[in-house]
C-alpha cells in the first residue's frame, strides 16, 4: 500500500512540475509563432509586452495572455493607434487543441482595451490592415473549426470617427460580457453591457452626451441565411428603458440590409424621458419631482442601401407631465406633447416631422405651439 502511495504521489508531483514547466519551455517558440503570424497577416505596427502561457490559471484549460498589445496604423494612418489593451487572455480546451479538429475557445478576456476606428474622407479605414493572400491557387478547404464560449471586456473605450459621413461616437467605461457557440449555424447570442456615451454627433451636432447606457440582449443568429432576430432585448439610456424586437437580414451577394424592427417603452414615466434632456440629468436628479406619462413607439421596415432608407415611424407622446427642482421657484406642469416623425417611401427627403401638440405652463405662464415639416428638400412648413 505504501509503495502504491509513493508511486501515485510521485506521478502527481511529476505532473505538477510538467504543468508548471511546460509554459516556460515553449514560451520562446510561442513568441516566434506569434511574431510570424503577425508579419504574415497584419500590415500595421504591432508591439506587445510579456507573453504568459499557463495551465494553472484556467486549469484544465490552457490560457495565453499577452500584455500591452498595441496596433498602430501605417501610411495615411501612421501614428494613429487602432487598438491597445493592457491584457488579452485567451483560454482554450487543452484536449481539443491537441487531439481535435474542433478548437473550443473557452473564453476571451480584454482588460482596458482602447479601440479607435477612423474612416477618412476618401472612405479609407484604419482597420483595413489585413494582408491579402497572394497565392494564385485556392487553398484546400479545411475541416478545422473553432467555437467561442464566452468573452469579457473590462473598462474598455471606443472612438468611431467617420469623416466621410460626418459621424462620430465616443464610448467610455465599457463593461461587456457575451456568450454564443459560433461553431453552429444557428445559435443564441447572449450579451450584457454597461457603458458611458461620452458623445454621439452627426454633422457637428451632438445628439447624446454623458449618458449612461446598459443593455441585456438575446439575439438568434442564423449564419446560413445571414439573419439576426432580436428575441429578448432591452436598452436603458440613463433612466429611460427601450425594448425592441424584430430582425435584420443581409441577403447573399448584396450590400443591402433588410430589416423589420419595432421599439417601445416598457416603463413609461415622464421622469425617465427627462433624464435624456441635456442639463437635466445632473447631480441631484434624484431630488427632481416629476409626474406624468410618456410613450415611445416606433417601427422600422424595409431595405437600407446606398439609394434608400427603410420606411419608419416614431411617435412620442407626453401626457400631463410635470417637473420641479427644489431650487426653482415654481414647477413646470401640464406638459403635453404629441410628436410624429415618419417616412413611408424610403426617400429621406420625404420625411415628415409633425409636432401637432406642444403645451406646458411655467407657473401661471402657458406656452403652446405646433410645427409640421412635410419633406426635407424641399420642405412645406406650417
Amino acid at each position: 500500500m505504501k509503495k502504491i502511495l509513493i508511486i501515485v504521489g510521485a506521478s502527481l508531483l511529476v505532473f505538477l512540475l510538467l504543468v508548471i514547466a511546460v509554459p516556460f519551455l515553449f514560451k520562446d517558440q510561442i513568441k516566434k509563432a506569434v511574431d510570424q503570424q503577425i508579419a504574415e497577416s497584419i500590415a500595421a505596427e504591432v508591439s506587445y509586452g510579456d507573453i504568459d502561457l499557463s495551465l494553472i490559471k484556467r486549469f484544465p484549460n490552457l490560457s495565453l495572455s499577452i500584455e500591452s498589445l498595441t496596433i498602430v496604423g501605417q501610411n495615411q494612418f501612421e501614428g494613429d493607434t487602432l487598438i491597445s489593451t493592457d491584457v488579452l487572455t485567451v483560454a482554450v480546451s487543452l484536449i481539443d487543441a491537441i487531439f481535435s479538429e474542433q478548437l473550443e475557445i473557452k473564453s476571451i478576456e480584454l482588460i482596458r482595451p482602447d479601440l479607435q476606428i477612423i474612416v477618412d474622407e476618401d472612405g479609407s479605414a484604419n482597420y483595413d490592415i489585413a494582408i491579402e493572400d497572394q497565392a494564385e491557387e485556392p487553398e484546400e478547404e479545411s475541416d478545422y473549426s473553432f467555437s467561442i464560449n464566452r468573452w469579457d471586456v473590462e473598462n474598455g473605450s471606443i472612438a468611431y470617427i467617420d469623416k466621410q459621413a460626418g459621424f462620430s461616437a465616443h464610448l467610455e467605461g465599457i463593461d461587456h460580457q457575451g456568450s454564443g457557440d459560433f461553431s453552429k449555424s444557428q445559435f443564441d447570442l447572449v450579451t450584457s453591457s454597461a457603458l458611458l456615451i461620452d458623445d454621439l454627433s452627426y454633422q457637428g451636432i451632438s445628439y447624446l452626451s454623458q449618458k449612461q447606457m446598459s443593455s441585456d440582449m438575446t439575439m438568434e443568429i442564423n449564419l446560413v441565411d445571414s439573419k439576426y432576430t432580436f428575441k429578448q432585448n432591452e436598452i436603458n439610456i440613463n433612466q429611460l428603458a427601450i425594448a425592441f424586437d424584430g430582425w435584420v437580414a443581409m441577403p447573399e451577394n448584396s450590400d443591402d440590409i433588410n430589416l423589420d424592427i419595432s421599439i417601445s417603452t416598457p416603463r413609461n414615466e415622464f421622469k425617465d424621458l427627462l433624464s435624456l434632456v441635456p442639463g437635466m440629468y445632473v447631480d441631484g436628479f434624484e431630488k427632481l419631482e416629476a409626474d406624468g406619462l410618456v410613450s415611445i413607439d416606433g417601427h422600422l421596415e424595409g431595405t437600407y442601401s446606398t439609394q434608400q432608407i427603410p420606411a419608419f415611424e416614431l411617435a412620442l407622446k407626453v401626457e400631463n407631465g410635470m417637473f420641479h427642482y427644489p431650487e426653482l421657484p415654481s414647477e413646470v406642469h401640464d406638459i403635453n406633447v404629441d410628436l410624429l416623425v415618419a417616412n413611408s417611401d424610403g426617400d429621406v427627403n420625404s420625411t415628415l416631422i409633425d409636432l401637432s401638440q406642444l403645451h406646458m405652463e411655467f407657473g401661471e405662464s402657458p406656452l403652446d405651439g405646433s410645427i409640421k415639416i412635410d419633406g426635407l428638400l424641399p420642405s412645406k412648413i406650417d
Side-chain angles (χ1 to χ4, degrees):
M1 182 67 179
K2 183 177 180 181
K3 185 176 180 180
I4 294 176
L5 291 175
I6 292 175
I7 294 173
V8 172
S11 300
L12 290 174
L13 179 60
V14 171
F15 175 75
L16 181 60
L17 290 174
L18 285 174
V19 167
I20 297 173
V22 165
F24 293 98
L25 295 175
F26 290 96
K27 187 172 183 178
D28 290 339
Q29 289 90 328
I30 292 172
K31 186 178 186 304
K32 183 178 179 180
V34 170
D35 290 340
Q36 181 179 351
Q37 189 63 36
I38 290 173
E40 293 176 353
S41 58
I42 299 178
E45 181 182 339
V46 181
S47 63
Y48 57 89
D50 191 30
I51 291 182
D52 179 35
L53 184 67
S54 175
L55 286 168
I56 298 177
K57 292 181 179 180
R58 303 290 189 274
F59 188 82
N61 300 313
L62 176 68
S63 70
L64 173 67
S65 296
I66 302 177
E67 297 181 358
S68 304
L69 174 65
T70 302
I71 301 177
V72 180
Q74 295 179 345
N75 301 323
Q76 69 191 88
F77 299 106
E78 184 176 358
D80 292 328
T81 299
L82 172 61
I83 187 171
S84 65
T85 182
D86 286 3
V87 183
L88 164 63
T89 301
V90 180
V92 301
S93 169
L94 180 61
I95 302 300
D96 288 344
I98 298 174
F99 300 106
S100 176
E101 292 183 341
Q102 170 70 33
L103 178 62
E104 183 179 2
I105 299 179
K106 293 294 186 180
S107 64
I108 298 177
E109 299 173 10
L110 288 164
I111 298 178
R112 294 182 62 84
D114 184 2
L115 178 64
Q116 180 178 238
I117 300 173
I118 302 174
V119 180
D120 263 354
E121 290 86 349
D122 61 0
S124 301
N126 69 333
Y127 56 81
D128 188 12
I129 60 175
I131 297 176
E132 295 184 4
D133 190 356
Q134 300 298 325
E136 295 182 0
E137 297 182 2
E139 295 183 0
E140 295 182 2
E141 292 187 4
S142 172
D143 294 330
Y144 198 82
S145 61
F146 74 94
S147 63
I148 304 174
N149 285 0
R150 182 177 176 84
W151 55 91
D152 291 89
V153 176
E154 179 182 329
N155 196 18
S157 63
I158 297 176
Y160 178 81
I161 304 169
D162 191 332
K163 298 178 182 178
Q164 188 178 51
F167 174 80
S168 66
H170 294 82
L171 312 177
E172 302 287 344
I174 301 172
D175 291 319
H176 170 83
Q177 300 81 40
S179 62
D181 189 349
F182 284 86
S183 65
K184 298 179 179 179
S185 60
Q186 186 168 335
F187 61 94
D188 281 351
L189 175 67
V190 181
T191 63
S192 177
S193 306
L195 55 93
L196 171 69
I197 302 175
D198 185 51
D199 184 71
L200 193 67
S201 298
Y202 179 67
Q203 297 294 336
I205 300 175
S206 178
Y207 288 91
L208 284 176
S209 63
Q210 297 299 305
K211 307 298 182 187
Q212 295 290 339
M213 177 178 171
S214 63
S215 67
D216 291 292
M217 303 175 62
T218 299
M219 181 187 298
E220 180 185 278
I221 307 294
N222 186 332
L223 297 177
V224 175
D225 299 326
S226 296
K227 185 175 182 179
Y228 311 93
T229 303
F230 302 105
K231 299 175 71 173
Q232 298 176 4
N233 303 277
E234 183 173 302
I235 293 178
N236 295 271
I237 305 177
N238 281 351
Q239 304 288 351
L240 183 67
I242 301 175
F244 59 97
D245 56 31
W247 54 265
V248 176
M250 301 178 185
E252 189 176 358
N253 301 322
S254 173
D255 293 330
D256 294 350
I257 301 175
N258 300 328
L259 42 82
D260 186 349
I261 300 175
S262 298
I263 66 171
S264 61
T265 48
R267 299 182 293 278
N268 53 358
E269 294 184 8
F270 181 52
K271 186 175 181 179
D272 298 337
L273 180 64
L274 290 178
S275 71
L276 299 185
V277 179
M280 294 287 289
Y281 195 70
V282 296
D283 291 338
F285 181 78
E286 67 280 357
K287 299 178 182 179
L288 174 70
E289 299 175 19
D291 198 4
L293 301 177
V294 62
S295 65
I296 299 176
D297 293 286
H299 197 129
L300 192 67
E301 183 177 6
T303 300
Y304 175 81
S305 68
T306 55
Q307 288 79 35
Q308 70 179 100
I309 62 172
F312 66 86
E313 183 174 293
L314 180 66
L316 166 66
K317 291 186 179 182
V318 177
E319 298 179 8
N320 300 318
M322 179 277 294
F323 70 88
H324 180 229
Y325 278 108
E327 295 80 4
L328 295 180
S330 61
E331 65 182 27
V332 180
H333 59 97
D334 289 339
I335 303 172
N336 290 277
V337 178
D338 193 344
L339 171 66
L340 174 67
V341 182
N343 185 296
S344 59
D345 62 7
D347 181 357
V348 67
N349 288 320
S350 301
T351 300
L352 170 69
I353 302 173
D354 187 4
L355 180 61
S356 59
Q357 181 185 27
L358 172 63
H359 174 82
M360 63 183 68
E361 298 185 14
F362 302 85
E364 301 299 325
S365 302
L367 170 66
D368 288 278
S370 65
I371 184 171
K372 183 177 182 180
I373 303 174
D374 190 357
L376 301 182
L377 290 173
S379 299
K380 295 180 181 179
I381 302 176
D382 182 3

